[in-house]
PDB file of all heavy atoms in Angstrom:
ATOM      1  N   GLY E 250     -15.118  35.903  14.108  1.00 97.00           N
ATOM      2  CA  GLY E 250     -14.185  35.988  15.217  1.00 97.00           C
ATOM      3  C   GLY E 250     -14.277  34.801  16.148  1.00 97.00           C
ATOM      4  O   GLY E 250     -15.005  33.837  15.882  1.00 97.00           O
ATOM      5  N   TYR E 251     -13.575  34.934  17.245  1.00 97.00           N
ATOM      6  CA  TYR E 251     -13.400  33.807  18.150  1.00 97.00           C
ATOM      7  C   TYR E 251     -13.708  34.204  19.583  1.00 97.00           C
ATOM      8  O   TYR E 251     -13.405  35.322  20.006  1.00 97.00           O
ATOM      9  CB  TYR E 251     -11.959  33.276  18.048  1.00 97.00           C
ATOM     10  CG  TYR E 251     -11.701  32.707  16.685  1.00 97.00           C
ATOM     11  CD1 TYR E 251     -11.345  33.541  15.613  1.00 97.00           C
ATOM     12  CD2 TYR E 251     -11.890  31.360  16.429  1.00 97.00           C
ATOM     13  CE1 TYR E 251     -11.176  33.028  14.344  1.00 97.00           C
ATOM     14  CE2 TYR E 251     -11.718  30.835  15.164  1.00 97.00           C
ATOM     15  CZ  TYR E 251     -11.359  31.674  14.126  1.00 97.00           C
ATOM     16  OH  TYR E 251     -11.212  31.163  12.868  1.00 97.00           O
ATOM     17  N   HIS E 252     -14.318  33.264  20.293  1.00 95.00           N
ATOM     18  CA  HIS E 252     -14.553  33.408  21.717  1.00 95.00           C
ATOM     19  C   HIS E 252     -13.830  32.305  22.462  1.00 95.00           C
ATOM     20  O   HIS E 252     -13.584  31.233  21.904  1.00 95.00           O
ATOM     21  CB  HIS E 252     -16.050  33.310  22.035  1.00 95.00           C
ATOM     22  CG  HIS E 252     -16.811  34.560  21.767  1.00 95.00           C
ATOM     23  ND1 HIS E 252     -17.575  34.735  20.646  1.00 95.00           N
ATOM     24  CD2 HIS E 252     -16.902  35.704  22.485  1.00 95.00           C
ATOM     25  CE1 HIS E 252     -18.123  35.931  20.673  1.00 95.00           C
ATOM     26  NE2 HIS E 252     -17.732  36.549  21.770  1.00 95.00           N
ATOM     27  N   ASN E 253     -13.541  32.589  23.694  1.00 90.00           N
ATOM     28  CA  ASN E 253     -12.915  31.565  24.516  1.00 90.00           C
ATOM     29  C   ASN E 253     -13.900  30.429  24.766  1.00 90.00           C
ATOM     30  O   ASN E 253     -15.093  30.653  24.952  1.00 90.00           O
ATOM     31  CB  ASN E 253     -12.504  32.195  25.851  1.00 90.00           C
ATOM     32  CG  ASN E 253     -11.264  31.566  26.387  1.00 90.00           C
ATOM     33  OD1 ASN E 253     -10.393  31.163  25.622  1.00 90.00           O
ATOM     34  ND2 ASN E 253     -11.170  31.462  27.688  1.00 90.00           N
ATOM     35  N   MET E 254     -13.388  29.229  24.750  1.00 86.00           N
ATOM     36  CA  MET E 254     -14.198  28.082  25.124  1.00 86.00           C
ATOM     37  C   MET E 254     -14.209  28.002  26.655  1.00 86.00           C
ATOM     38  O   MET E 254     -13.160  28.178  27.277  1.00 86.00           O
ATOM     39  CB  MET E 254     -13.562  26.827  24.533  1.00 86.00           C
ATOM     40  CG  MET E 254     -14.496  25.694  24.246  1.00 86.00           C
ATOM     41  SD  MET E 254     -13.589  24.293  23.528  1.00 86.00           S
ATOM     42  CE  MET E 254     -13.727  24.626  21.786  1.00 86.00           C
ATOM     43  N   SER E 255     -15.358  27.762  27.215  1.00 81.00           N
ATOM     44  CA  SER E 255     -15.418  27.718  28.687  1.00 81.00           C
ATOM     45  C   SER E 255     -14.635  26.515  29.206  1.00 81.00           C
ATOM     46  O   SER E 255     -14.454  25.521  28.499  1.00 81.00           O
ATOM     47  CB  SER E 255     -16.871  27.630  29.147  1.00 81.00           C
ATOM     48  OG  SER E 255     -17.395  26.360  28.824  1.00 81.00           O
ATOM     49  N   MET E 256     -14.205  26.628  30.447  1.00 76.00           N
ATOM     50  CA  MET E 256     -13.432  25.532  31.016  1.00 76.00           C
ATOM     51  C   MET E 256     -14.217  24.221  31.058  1.00 76.00           C
ATOM     52  O   MET E 256     -13.692  23.173  30.677  1.00 76.00           O
ATOM     53  CB  MET E 256     -12.940  25.917  32.419  1.00 76.00           C
ATOM     54  CG  MET E 256     -12.152  24.831  33.102  1.00 76.00           C
ATOM     55  SD  MET E 256     -10.707  24.372  32.150  1.00 76.00           S
ATOM     56  CE  MET E 256      -9.783  25.879  32.315  1.00 76.00           C
ATOM     57  N   PRO E 257     -15.502  24.240  31.472  1.00 79.00           N
ATOM     58  CA  PRO E 257     -16.246  22.969  31.441  1.00 79.00           C
ATOM     59  C   PRO E 257     -16.335  22.387  30.032  1.00 79.00           C
ATOM     60  O   PRO E 257     -16.248  21.174  29.850  1.00 79.00           O
ATOM     61  CB  PRO E 257     -17.632  23.364  31.975  1.00 79.00           C
ATOM     62  CG  PRO E 257     -17.385  24.578  32.805  1.00 79.00           C
ATOM     63  CD  PRO E 257     -16.277  25.308  32.122  1.00 79.00           C
ATOM     64  N   LEU E 258     -16.501  23.263  29.038  1.00 84.00           N
ATOM     65  CA  LEU E 258     -16.589  22.760  27.670  1.00 84.00           C
ATOM     66  C   LEU E 258     -15.247  22.173  27.233  1.00 84.00           C
ATOM     67  O   LEU E 258     -15.188  21.124  26.601  1.00 84.00           O
ATOM     68  CB  LEU E 258     -17.007  23.893  26.721  1.00 84.00           C
ATOM     69  CG  LEU E 258     -17.215  23.494  25.249  1.00 84.00           C
ATOM     70  CD1 LEU E 258     -18.245  22.369  25.137  1.00 84.00           C
ATOM     71  CD2 LEU E 258     -17.644  24.691  24.424  1.00 84.00           C
ATOM     72  N   LYS E 259     -14.161  22.865  27.588  1.00 82.00           N
ATOM     73  CA  LYS E 259     -12.841  22.323  27.260  1.00 82.00           C
ATOM     74  C   LYS E 259     -12.670  20.943  27.872  1.00 82.00           C
ATOM     75  O   LYS E 259     -12.183  20.016  27.223  1.00 82.00           O
ATOM     76  CB  LYS E 259     -11.742  23.247  27.797  1.00 82.00           C
ATOM     77  CG  LYS E 259     -11.458  24.481  26.957  1.00 82.00           C
ATOM     78  CD  LYS E 259     -10.313  25.245  27.590  1.00 82.00           C
ATOM     79  CE  LYS E 259     -10.174  26.622  26.976  1.00 82.00           C
ATOM     80  NZ  LYS E 259      -9.251  27.471  27.704  1.00 82.00           N
ATOM     81  N   ARG E 260     -13.081  20.839  29.123  1.00 78.00           N
ATOM     82  CA  ARG E 260     -12.910  19.555  29.799  1.00 78.00           C
ATOM     83  C   ARG E 260     -13.789  18.500  29.143  1.00 78.00           C
ATOM     84  O   ARG E 260     -13.382  17.364  28.945  1.00 78.00           O
ATOM     85  CB  ARG E 260     -13.242  19.692  31.274  1.00 78.00           C
ATOM     86  CG  ARG E 260     -12.219  20.530  32.018  1.00 78.00           C
ATOM     87  CD  ARG E 260     -12.668  20.795  33.427  1.00 78.00           C
ATOM     88  NE  ARG E 260     -12.788  19.568  34.207  1.00 78.00           N
ATOM     89  CZ  ARG E 260     -13.548  19.446  35.287  1.00 78.00           C
ATOM     90  NH1 ARG E 260     -14.259  20.462  35.703  1.00 78.00           N
ATOM     91  NH2 ARG E 260     -13.584  18.322  35.950  1.00 78.00           N
ATOM     92  N   ALA E 261     -15.014  18.901  28.775  1.00 85.00           N
ATOM     93  CA  ALA E 261     -15.925  17.946  28.151  1.00 85.00           C
ATOM     94  C   ALA E 261     -15.383  17.469  26.811  1.00 85.00           C
ATOM     95  O   ALA E 261     -15.588  16.322  26.422  1.00 85.00           O
ATOM     96  CB  ALA E 261     -17.301  18.592  27.971  1.00 85.00           C
ATOM     97  N   LEU E 262     -14.694  18.353  26.107  1.00 87.00           N
ATOM     98  CA  LEU E 262     -14.166  18.006  24.791  1.00 87.00           C
ATOM     99  C   LEU E 262     -12.768  17.405  24.876  1.00 87.00           C
ATOM    100  O   LEU E 262     -12.167  17.090  23.854  1.00 87.00           O
ATOM    101  CB  LEU E 262     -14.137  19.248  23.891  1.00 87.00           C
ATOM    102  CG  LEU E 262     -15.506  19.886  23.611  1.00 87.00           C
ATOM    103  CD1 LEU E 262     -15.349  21.138  22.767  1.00 87.00           C
ATOM    104  CD2 LEU E 262     -16.429  18.893  22.917  1.00 87.00           C
ATOM    105  N   GLY E 263     -12.259  17.273  26.083  1.00 84.00           N
ATOM    106  CA  GLY E 263     -10.955  16.635  26.254  1.00 84.00           C
ATOM    107  C   GLY E 263      -9.797  17.481  25.799  1.00 84.00           C
ATOM    108  O   GLY E 263      -8.719  16.954  25.475  1.00 84.00           O
TER     109      GLY E 263
END
Side-chain angles (χ1 to χ4, degrees):
Chain E
Y251 295 83
H252 281 101
N253 213 33
M254 207 179 269
S255 70
M256 179 59 67
L258 183 56
K259 281 183 192 170
R260 291 173 63 203
L262 298 177

